[in-house]
Amino acid sequence: MTATAHTPRVFSGIKPSGDVTLGNYLGAIKRWSEMQGPTFETIYCVVDLHAITVWQEPSELANATREVTAAMLASGIDPEKSILFNQSQVHAHAELAWIFNCVARVGWMNRMTQFKDKAGKNAEQVSLGLYAYPALMAADVLLYHATHVPVGEDQKQHVELMRDIATKFNNDFKAPDFFPTPEPIIEGPSTRVMNLRDGTKKMSKSGDSDMERINMTDDADTISKKFKKARTDPEPLPETLEGLKDRPEARNLVDIYAGLSSTTPETVIAEYAGAGWGRFKPALADLAVAKLSPISSEMARLMNDPAEIDRILARGAERAEEIAQPILEKTYELVGMLRTR
Ligand code: AMP
Ligand code: TRP
C-alpha cells in the first residue's frame, strides 16, 4: 500500500507567532483554502506547540492563536469544509511526537537547515524543543494519516524528514504502510515570497524592519507605501521571464503580482514587458490592496468576537480528536505499550 491507498487527506499548519504575512497568505493559506473540495479532506492547524520552541509572551499567545485563525477564516477556510483547530487542544500531537522522538535519529535532526539557521552560533542555548521541532511536525501530519502537505518551499526538508520517520516506524514495528509517506505540495509562483528590502531573504514574521514585509493587518496606505519603497534595480521589466534572472527583487515583485492575481509570472511579464517601476509598483500596490483589504476587514470583524473564534476552534479540536485518538491508540499498541483501560 502506498500513500495513495490511504484516504486523500491534507494537513498543514501555521505558527501563531507574530503577524501573519503576505508570504503566509500566498505560500500557504490561500492555497489551503483552494484545496477544500471533493478531492481531499482538509485539516488545518494553528501550531501553538511549535510556536513555543522559541519564546512567546504568555499574555499574547492566546490572542496570536485567534488572530491566525481569523486570517484563515477571512481567507476562505470554511470550518464546515475543513477541520480547523489549534494543536495544543488535541493532546495526541504531543504524545505521538514523543514516540517519534524515539524513532528519529540525532543525525537526521543535525541535517535540518531550518534548525541551523534559527540556532545560528547559539546552538547550545536554544530550546531542546527547537531541535525536536521536525518530529512534532511529523506527528501533526501522521496522526491523521494525512497524505498531502501543502507548504512553502522552506518546509520541504521537514516533509522529507516526516517521510523518513514514517518509513522507519513502519519497518521497526513491522507495520507495513501503517503510516503513509506524505507528499509535499509546493506549487505556484509564491512558494517563496521574498523580503521587500532584500530579495535574497525570505519574507518572515519576525524581521528587523516592518518595511520588509506586508502584514495581513496592514491598511491600504501602509501596503502602498511598502510596495512603493520596495527595493528594486533601475532596469524596466524585461520582455521574457529569463530577463529576470539574477534580479531577485524584480522577480519577487512579479511573483507576488502573479500570486495575488492567480496567474503565472509569464502572464505578468507579457502584460508589463518594458514597463518601468513607476508603472508596475502602483499597479502591484493597487492589486494587493484590492485583494487584501477585504481579508483584513473580515479579520478585524472576527477579532471583535473572540468567543466565536474559540467555539470554532473547540469544535475543530473535537473533530480532529475523533480521527487522531484511534490512530494514537494503534500506535501505542504497535510499540507494545501496556494498555489496561
Ligand atoms: P510559519 O509562519 O513559519 O508558521 O509558516 C506557515 C506556512 O507559511 C508554511 O507553509 C510556510 O512554508 C509558509 N510561508 C512562510 N513564509 C513564507 C514565505 N515568505 N513565502 C512562502 N511561504 C511562506
Ligand atoms: N513548521 C511549519 C512552519 O513553520 C508549521 C507546521 C507545523 C506544519 N506542523 C506542520 C506545516 C505540519 C505542515 C504540516 O511553517
Side-chain angles (χ1 to χ4, degrees), residues 11-15 47 50 133 137 140-141 149 151 155 158:
F11 185 102
S12 202
I14 178 167
K15 293 190 292 291
V47 289
H50 276 108
Y133 181 116
M137 183 163 159
D140 294 341
V141 172
V149 187
V151 281
Q155 297 302 311
H158 288 160

Side-chain angles (χ1 to χ4, degrees), residues 8-30:
R9 192 175 271 161
V10 161
F11 185 102
S12 202
I14 178 167
K15 293 190 292 291
S17 49
D19 291 307
V20 186
T21 68
L22 182 64
N24 294 130
Y25 175 67
L26 292 176
I29 301 174
K30 178 172 182 277

Side-chain angles (χ1 to χ4, degrees), residues 12-17 21-29 31-32 47 114 118 133 150-155 190-195 202-205:
S12 202
I14 178 167
K15 293 190 292 291
S17 49
T21 68
L22 182 64
N24 294 130
Y25 175 67
L26 292 176
I29 301 174
R31 295 166 54 227
W32 300 351
V47 289
Q114 182 166 303
K118 286 198 178 180
Y133 181 116
V151 281
E153 178 67 38
D154 60 337
Q155 297 302 311
S190 311
T191 55
R192 195 167 165 77
V193 177
M194 307 307 279
N195 179 315
K202 190 183 77 156
M203 183 185 288
S204 75
K205 287 170 169 158

